[in-house]
Amino acid sequence: MQALVFDGPGRIRYEPQRRDPDLCAPTDAIVEVEVAGLCGSDLHPYLGREPAAAGVVPGHEVVGRVLAVGTEVAERRVGERVLVPFSTSCGRCARCAAGLTARCERGALFGYGPPDDPAAGLDGGQAERLRVPWADASLRLVPAWMDDPTALLCSDNLPTAWEAVARADPRPGRALVVVGLGAVGLCAVAVARAHQVEPVVAIDPVPDRRARAVALGADLALAPEDALAAGVLDGGAPAVVEASGSADGQRLAFRLTEPGGSCSVIAVQTDERFAFSPTEAYDRNLTLRFGRANVLVTLPLVVTALADGRLRSPAEVCVTHPDVALRDGPEAYARFAAREPGLVKVAFRP
Ligand SMILES: [Zn+2]
Ligand SMILES: [Zn+2]
């Protein structure tokens, strides 16, 4: 099969003939990939900020068709259109039962490897086919009415944004600030609109991304330096989402959270330290929340909100490059890492 392969920081290779994945356990399924996302999180290994095994297929956002199932898969059937959340969940452990599906005791992230050792880690979805452990618990049917770009966002960015906004304790009629307007931040703007907060304030240094936030319903889109200017957000906002993943973004989000407010940090963290001191946090009585979203728990809320019209799909604004061939993957990674204006999300079509 065709696949992209991570060979180490800065090195993504197109491989035209990689070995197809096999069913390794009776609870596995094989998914034929129809569309696979390139996520901001994929840049952490690519830029050397986070480890991934050399030789692994990257990618953790997938929509496709079930191609084969193991003998113990009871719910999923060959031919079903499914989305694959970014991590697997067994559906049987205490954490899964508690709704902490992203931290399943047997779960793993797609795309970090090591390759050729199915017991130790998983290949990702930037390939023609993908092995999915715990298929019954991990795979979700895509509603027939949902288009591919929206379904792709539902495998990660949109439920992640939903959970980020919920953790910021949005208050109807009060401000909600989103710091960082990559795909998750833009999705958070759309989700905030669905929560009746007012105003929705979007912050990013890149003008193109601010324009996209306005297209998704942001009332105000600001450069970071302008957000701290007197009179703009005096005293801060009660609900702030940090979606940039940078220390500067985290510090700004912290400073923009009003005393007693909630600051929800959703971006993957690669720093050793918080961008603010314990003393500063104590002095503000903030609620701080961190961590990976539980897609399996949040996805039904997102699908319902899309279906009843409360949430407008941000796919048209976010998925800027919806039809990229895998052979163009190395170039797509380089352009994404360079923060090319106009490029927010690439979707590979194997
Ligand atoms: Zn992702
Ligand atoms: Zn589990």
Side-chain angles (χ1 to χ4, degrees), residues 91-316:
R92 305 173 181 190
C93 70
R95 290 188 195 162
C96 282
L100 203 62
T101 56
R103 300 293 176 189
C104 167
E105 291 168 19
R106 303 182 183 94
L109 281 172
F110 288 100
Y112 285 80
D116 307 320
D117 184 0
L122 300 177
D123 267 332
Q126 290 165 9
E128 286 185 279
R129 283 170 278 283
L130 172 70
R131 180 179 77 90
V132 180
W134 307 111
D136 276 340
S138 299
L139 292 174
R140 285 293 177 272
L141 290 176
V142 180
W145 49 265
M146 190 180 280
D147 58 58
D148 278 351
T150 301
L152 184 68
L153 292 180
C154 281
S155 70
D156 177 351
N157 299 162
L158 204 37
T160 293
W162 187 284
E163 199 158 323
V165 168
R167 288 182 196 166
D169 299 325
R171 300 172 201 187
R174 306 251 1 243
L176 184 143
V177 177
V178 179
V179 177
L181 301 173
V184 170
L186 289 172
C187 286
V189 169
V191 168
R193 268 278 72 96
H195 280 76
Q196 283 94 45
V197 292
E198 181 80 39
V200 177
V201 182
I203 300 174
D204 195 282
V206 180
D208 170 69
R209 295 189 171 200
R210 297 200 295 270
R212 288 174 196 279
V214 170
L216 290 170
D219 299 294
L220 202 56
L222 301 168
E225 59 273 21
D226 296 334
L228 291 171
V232 176
L233 271 168
D234 274 340
V240 178
V241 171
E242 204 300 288
S244 80
S246 70
D248 285 348
Q250 188 184 113
R251 175 135 196 95
L252 180 62
F254 172 82
R255 289 180 66 182
L256 291 176
T257 310
E258 71 179 25
S262 296
C263 181
S264 165
V265 180
I266 195 66
V268 170
Q269 300 297 298
T270 55
D271 282 338
E272 293 287 321
R273 292 187 169 73
F274 292 113
F276 46 83
S277 71
T279 307
E280 289 173 298
Y282 177 84
D283 287 347
R284 307 272 295 285
N285 283 39
L286 303 189
T287 298
L288 296 164
R289 293 196 177 92
F290 282 74
R292 192 186 285 168
N294 302 289
V295 173
L296 294 178
V297 176
T298 307
L299 183 61
L301 305 176
V302 172
V303 171
T304 302
L306 286 167
D308 67 22
R310 270 178 300 140
L311 174 59
R312 200 182 110 208
S313 172
E316 225 171 277

Side-chain angles (χ1 to χ4, degrees), residues 39-42 60-61 86 156-157 345:
C39 182
S41 304
D42 294 325
H60 57 263
E61 302 176 351
F86 54 75
D156 177 351
N157 299 162
K345 191 160 200 74

